[in-house]
Amino acid sequence: MNFVESLNQALRTRMSEDNRVYLLGADIGDPYGGAFKATRGLGDTFPGRLLSTPVSEAALVGMAAGMALNGLLPIVEIMFGDFLGLTFDQLLNHATKFPALYGADCRCPVVLRSPVGGGRGYGATHSQSVEKHFLGMPGLRVVALGPHSEPLSVLREVQQDREPTLIVEAKSCYGEPMRDAHYWRTRSWCHERFELGGCPATAISPVPREQCRVTVLAYGAMAVRLEPLIWRHAVERELFCEMLVLTVLNARDLRPLIERIAVTGRAITIEEGAAGWHWGAGLQDRLRQLRGFGATHFETLAARAAPIPSGLANEELAQIHDAEIHLALDRITRRP
Amino acid sequence: MSRSVSGGASSGRTANSGLPAPIVVPTINANDRIVMLAEWSRPHADEVEPGTVVATVESSKSAAEIEAPAGGRLHWAVPSGARVATGTVIGWIVGLSAAIPPVPRLGEDAGRPCTDSARRLIAELGLDMRGVPGEGLITEAMIRQLAGAPDSGVGTAAETPSDGPSEPAMRGVCPPAKPARAAPVPAFMSRSVAKGPVDAFLDARTGSAVTATDIFLKAQGIALQEFTAWKRGSGGDRIALAITTEAGLIAPAIDDPAARTLDEIARWRIAAMRHVAVGAGAVEARPPTFAFTNLAGQDIEVFVPNLFGGLSATLGLGLRKADQPEWTLCLSFDHNVSDGFYAARFLGSLAELITNPEQLDLA
């Protein structure tokens, strides 16, 4: 099963097991089934609970927040992550504030899901990884879904929350096979799940993690891209890395990460989003404040802080190159 | 000369229960981690009874026959003539109706992932890739561990700091990580001990079965009581006596020798050696265990005993020559169990006990 099929299955299961679950979004109904077909078939099965809406992201998130306040569990699809900007006020000044402003009984578990990232040549306003702009918003859990994360357990977890959740989906990985235990076993990777921020995260490495020299932190499409690079480093150089593929990007309790990074003593975040006030920088800052972490060697690698050009060939120029990743892994391994 | 061992990893499993039973290469000589699959005694896909001899493996010194761990159809996973490591699954006993793939060819790539440097080393050693136990990516460290070769210092090791005290600073957060080193580097130290008192002690006990070996076993038991860290690691007061036989090295273990009389230890030793002599095998030491090797029977005067299979330390004792006033005790140890200071203290205590053997007889 590939990622988008798994996502579709998870949405179907959630709608079957809880009739408070509603889907909202532009063009998500059948026969179109959404721009990336995540909701295909659901409109026919649950005609009253899949609401195809006009293209007005602010209105639609405001409506969903109201539904959530009234006890429903809306899941909103924003067709491209780039348009999450239009939802910003609804999240910043409304949905994330309600539980804080109106007390313990007030719940607003609205879920936004949106495809992000490049790899399709869609240009400056359809290829961005915009999650960094939402990571510091108090009361908003930011979750990255891709082939490494099992969508159903994530949806079940975040819909129990009092507060809103933004799910960013690896757009270029919708067709990728899901990375389950069988997937890793048949490819000779060591594989483990661990919990971070209430959702399962994945740890993979070519050899047992005690033999790894570097911890790589990544999520979404970048994690998929890093798999062959990490394997190549292992086979050609015997430079072994453990990759932690995170699901919750702004988890409050980072102890599970600390414990894993302690095994190698060196860590690097690699992300598709643009550098400058990015995910890795924020994570580094938070980890540094934890006792004993200051001496760990930590680096971050992010894409150029520039608009993404149109066309795949030009887009590649703006992304992190494989050579940069290889150099960074080499450099960090050599650090005393 | 050869001995027969069951190739099964676990007893009681039968192929007819539906689960294939693995045929595993046993350890036939502790110094040889890589052996040759000399021949399959029964054809591929042949029907065999449990206990049928199905293969012969040869180490540098001896050979062993491997018996079918269960009844069923024999599946060769590795061809005859392949060099394989002990612990490797070389074949399976499968159900009579199971489909059996064709015989693999010698030197064929096993399809298991392997790092470039490990692949080069495998070729150098003439090892069959299917003969590497375990699963997952084969690394250079794994092959070096099998071959008993020291770390090459190439690849990761050359580019990264060693596991010494300058390792990157994660201290205070978690215990430091275990180094990515495959085989522990054995170190050793030696000490001379006068043998006159032992000779005199044994002369005075004419008619007794007690030998110098028994004296050493008991003295080690007493000397080791001081080292609580070692006892924690070994899970008890147990000492293995390494006995070299033509079929290889056997290491039956004695529990708590410090609490036994010398005569009891002598009786245990004689029984253990008889057990070995009739080919019945002996209860082998479970690592980590302290081991004692006496190579006097091989006319060896001084040697550094090998540390193998998770043993915490090994004491070696050589030939007693009439014209030599001293023995040389040689202790090899693994720095993850003891360090030089404690090993030196242990040898000191032991030497004191050996040069006053009368006190051993008091218990």
Side-chain angles (χ1 to χ4, degrees):
Chain A
M1 187 181 282
N2 66 29
F3 172 41
V4 77
E5 288 163 351
S6 171
L7 188 61
N8 179 275
Q9 189 69 47
L11 292 168
R12 180 178 290 280
T13 305
R14 283 302 291 139
M15 293 184 88
S16 307
E17 66 190 13
D18 194 331
N19 60 15
R20 295 173 301 164
V21 177
Y22 279 72
L23 301 188
L24 290 80
D27 293 338
I28 61 171
D30 290 319
Y32 188 63
F36 295 96
K37 314 304 168 203
T39 55
R40 182 183 271 166
L42 301 180
D44 287 346
T45 315
F46 308 98
R49 290 198 281 136
L50 184 143
L51 312 177
S52 261
T53 62
V55 189
S56 175
E57 284 77 5
L60 130 81
V61 174
M63 176 181 164
M67 291 166 74
L69 286 174
N70 281 288
L72 299 177
L73 297 171
I75 300 173
V76 180
E77 177 176 303
I78 304 294
M79 195 183 283
F80 282 86
D82 312 69
F83 308 130
L84 282 167
L86 293 159
T87 71
F88 203 84
D89 180 61
Q90 284 298 330
L91 288 172
L92 181 71
N93 288 316
H94 302 281
T96 58
K97 296 296 183 287
F98 293 148
L101 291 178
Y102 300 119
D105 293 337
C106 175
R107 296 166 52 83
C108 191
V110 61
V111 175
L112 272 65
R113 37 168 295 272
S114 189
V116 297
R120 290 195 174 222
Y122 289 168
T125 60
H126 287 71
S127 308
Q128 300 172 86
S129 298
V130 293
E131 54 275 15
K132 73 172 185 176
H133 302 295
F134 295 83
L135 285 169
M137 194 184 288
L140 181 69
R141 174 151 53 171
V142 182
V143 170
L145 275 189
H148 296 89
S149 322
E150 201 275 296
L152 181 59
S153 61
V154 171
L155 282 177
R156 281 183 180 145
E157 160 65 24
V158 300
Q159 289 194 302
Q160 285 175 14
D161 208 349
R162 287 181 65 216
E163 295 173 326
T165 298
L166 169 63
I167 297 176
V168 291
E169 295 167 4
K171 181 195 301 166
S172 60
C173 298
Y174 279 130
E176 281 285 328
M178 288 302 285
R179 270 51 168 170
D180 54 11
H182 174 76
Y183 180 93
W184 296 118
R185 204 169 42 248
T186 51
R187 285 161 180 77
S188 299
W189 284 76
C190 301
H191 164 257
E192 246 184 279
R193 290 250 194 236
F194 65 100
E195 198 185 285
L196 185 73
C199 294
T202 304
I204 53 165
S205 50
V207 294
R209 70 175 162 135
E210 293 75 18
Q211 294 171 33
C212 293
R213 308 295 295 183
V214 181
T215 306
V216 176
L217 298 124
Y219 63 87
M222 182 53 81
V224 172
R225 199 183 140 197
L226 286 171
E227 287 166 8
L229 299 185
I230 287 175
W231 187 263
R232 216 178 109 193
H233 262 265
V235 168
E236 293 178 5
R237 321 261 325 270
E238 293 226 337
L239 194 167
F240 302 124
C241 304
E242 181 182 48
M243 177 158 70
L244 307 182
V245 186
L246 304 195
T247 306
V248 178
L249 301 185
N250 57 351
R252 290 189 188 101
D253 183 1
L254 294 177
R255 277 175 298 182
L257 279 190
I258 293 263
E259 282 162 18
R260 292 200 162 249
I261 295 172
V263 174
T264 61
R266 301 175 181 86
I268 181 168
T269 60
I270 306 181
E271 64 194 286
E272 195 183 323
W277 312 100
H278 52 286
W279 168 68
L283 187 66
Q284 180 178 27
D285 178 56
R286 291 210 36 222
L287 288 170
R288 286 236 181 278
Q289 293 169 23
L290 297 171
R291 196 151 62 91
F293 195 81
T296 299
H297 184 73
F298 197 101
E299 288 190 18
T300 75
L301 192 59
R304 281 152 197 74
I308 297 168
S310 295
L312 264 181
N314 291 335
E315 188 185 313
E316 278 175 19
L317 298 174
Q319 294 290 340
I320 306 172
H321 303 167
D322 284 2
E324 285 178 89
I325 296 171
H326 283 302
L327 282 173
L329 291 177
D330 272 0
R331 186 175 61 245
I332 197 167
T333 311
R334 286 208 186 88
R335 294 286 300 212
Chain B
M1 184 175 170
S2 67
R3 63 188 171 121
S4 296
V5 287
S6 168
S10 58
S11 58
R13 180 187 275 186
T14 65
N16 291 330
S17 67
L19 289 171
I23 301 168
V24 182
V25 179
T27 300
I28 54 173
N29 177 333
N31 293 323
D32 284 317
R33 295 294 310 278
I34 297 176
V35 299
M36 182 188 277
L37 171 58
E39 63 166 10
W40 282 103
S41 323
R42 300 293 292 266
H44 183 61
D46 201 19
E47 192 180 330
V48 295
E49 296 291 318
T52 312
V53 172
V54 290
T56 307
V57 288
E58 285 178 4
S59 75
S60 58
K61 294 182 185 137
S62 53
E65 291 170 338
I66 303 181
E67 295 171 356
R73 215 173 275 286
L74 175 65
H75 165 203
W76 299 3
V78 173
S80 295
R83 279 163 59 77
V84 297
T86 55
T88 306
V89 176
I90 52 167
W92 301 86
I93 301 294
V94 299
L96 294 177
S97 55
I100 301 182
V103 183
R105 285 196 306 274
L106 207 58
E108 189 178 56
D109 193 314
R112 184 168 163 198
C114 181
T115 69
D116 292 350
S117 51
R119 195 179 294 277
R120 281 193 292 273
L121 198 54
I122 285 172
E124 269 173 40
L125 293 168
L127 188 64
D128 192 287
M129 201 185 283
R130 283 165 294 233
V132 180
E135 50 187 9
L137 182 66
I138 300 173
T139 64
E140 185 185 331
M142 286 165 78
I143 305 302
R144 286 197 178 278
Q145 190 176 27
L146 290 178
D151 207 319
S152 69
V154 298
T156 328
E159 293 164 4
T160 56
S162 72
D163 59 316
S166 60
E167 189 66 353
M170 282 305 300
R171 298 180 204 294
V173 182
C174 268
K178 278 191 92 174
R181 191 185 290 284
V185 180
F188 74 93
M189 58 170 56
S190 63
R191 193 184 198 286
S192 293
V193 51
K195 64 180 185 178
V198 173
D199 286 337
F201 178 77
L202 291 173
D203 286 348
R205 290 180 64 120
T206 319
S208 159
V210 172
T211 65
T213 297
D214 307 316
I215 292 175
F216 270 93
L217 279 173
K218 178 149 187 180
Q220 287 169 69
I222 294 171
L224 282 168
Q225 285 180 329
E226 194 185 335
F227 301 96
T228 50
W230 172 79
K231 275 163 57 177
R232 268 203 301 280
S234 70
D237 297 315
R238 187 184 306 127
I239 294 183
L241 176 63
I243 302 171
T244 43
T245 69
E246 285 184 35
L249 191 70
I250 311 286
I254 180 168
D255 282 321
D256 203 4
R260 297 174 187 239
T261 65
L262 288 172
D263 287 311
E264 282 170 354
I265 294 174
R267 279 198 294 278
W268 169 84
R269 176 180 49 78
I270 291 163
M273 294 182 79
R274 271 200 198 121
H275 215 57
V276 171
V278 298
V283 180
E284 293 251 356
R286 287 189 309 275
T289 305
F290 190 91
F292 176 49
T293 312
N294 183 345
L295 283 189
Q298 311 288 315
D299 278 353
I300 300 295
E301 290 169 41
V302 177
F303 68 102
V304 180
N306 252 358
L307 195 69
F308 62 89
L311 293 178
S312 55
T314 305
L315 180 77
L317 179 70
L319 183 66
R320 305 171 64 225
K321 273 197 169 171
D323 56 344
Q324 278 178 352
E326 290 177 333
W327 275 297
T328 302
L329 307 181
C330 234
L331 180 66
S332 73
F333 54 93
D334 177 344
H335 63 85
N336 66 30
V337 175
S338 61
D339 66 21
F341 173 74
Y342 294 107
R345 236 174 63 188
F346 166 73
L347 281 181
S349 304
L350 185 64
E352 198 185 309
L353 287 161
I354 297 296
T355 44
N356 296 287
E358 292 76 14
Q359 58 186 316
L360 299 176
D361 220 12
L362 298 177

